[in-house]
Amino acid sequence: MSIVTLLPFIVLIGAMFLMTRSAKKKQQAAQQMRNEMQAGTGVRTIGGMYATVKEIHEDTVLLEVAPGVHAIYAKNAIGAVLADEEYNRILDGADPIHTDEPVVPDDASSLTGDTAAGTGDKADKIDLGKAATPADAEPATEQPAADKGAEDSVKADADAAKEDKKAGGDDAK
């Protein structure tokens, strides 16, 4: 047999070796974490329950899941040993405010400094809807010139909203 025919098998065996090696390292790190666990520390089980360690035995751990409520778990059921400040933050339900982190705005208008976009001013927006009015619209009656321009923009916005609804836009849902 030549090396070319053996090359796929060699690559496959090498990949399997690397995968088992990384899995074995993860298992050893988890076992070391469980062995270094002490009474009074906060833990998260593999089921997602948070508890405080009360007693540690050879293969089991006594956890206090609520004040006065104790449960016995296998050591393998401990998913993570948490730092005291993280465990207290999770139990209190309070998220600490970090003043050194930048604040991310909810909308893009605050990033650009454009205040007109956030005020809902329709005169500055471009209408990309169809210019033709739908067939079921009522014919307009004669009105004074000052009111006609305002009503036309309102009517155009209403027509655009109807078209968007027909097309399945965000307002239709």
Side-chain angles (χ1 to χ4, degrees):
M1 295 180 93
S2 70
I3 191 76
V4 175
T5 52
L6 291 178
L7 188 62
F9 295 111
I10 293 171
V11 170
L12 182 65
I13 290 171
M16 288 173 53
F17 173 74
L18 289 175
M19 284 191 279
T20 57
R21 192 173 123 207
S22 67
K24 194 175 276 188
K25 281 186 178 182
K26 287 180 183 177
Q27 286 177 348
Q28 287 175 349
Q31 185 64 35
Q32 181 181 2
M33 174 214 36
R34 290 181 189 118
N35 288 337
E36 293 176 357
M37 184 172 37
Q38 297 176 358
T41 59
V43 295
R44 183 183 67 234
T45 65
I46 58 175
M49 184 177 61
Y50 294 93
T52 305
V53 177
K54 287 299 176 185
E55 295 178 11
I56 301 172
H57 303 284
E58 192 169 326
D59 292 332
T60 60
V61 179
L62 180 68
L63 300 178
E64 185 176 28
V65 296
V69 179
H70 296 86
I72 297 175
Y73 278 80
K75 268 191 178 179
N76 291 340
I78 304 300
V81 177
L82 305 172
D84 289 338
E85 57 272 356
E86 181 181 1
Y87 181 68
N88 291 333
R89 180 187 61 82
I90 291 170
L91 285 184
D92 294 339
D95 198 20
I97 298 173
H98 301 288
T99 57
D100 56 340
E101 294 179 3
V103 177
V104 180
D106 290 338
D107 60 347
S109 65
S110 63
L111 292 175
T112 59
D114 183 20
T115 58
T119 62
D121 189 11
K122 299 287 184 186
D124 294 339
K125 294 185 179 180
I126 299 172
D127 184 19
L128 298 176
K130 294 182 180 179
T133 60
D136 60 349
E138 297 178 4
T141 60
E142 284 296 318
Q143 296 177 350
D147 292 338
K148 213 176 215 187
E151 185 177 343
D152 287 342
S153 67
V154 170
K155 194 172 196 176
D157 289 340
D159 291 342
K162 283 182 185 178
E163 289 298 322
D164 189 30
K165 205 173 225 184
K166 285 181 185 176
D170 291 335
D171 293 338
K173 295 177 183 170

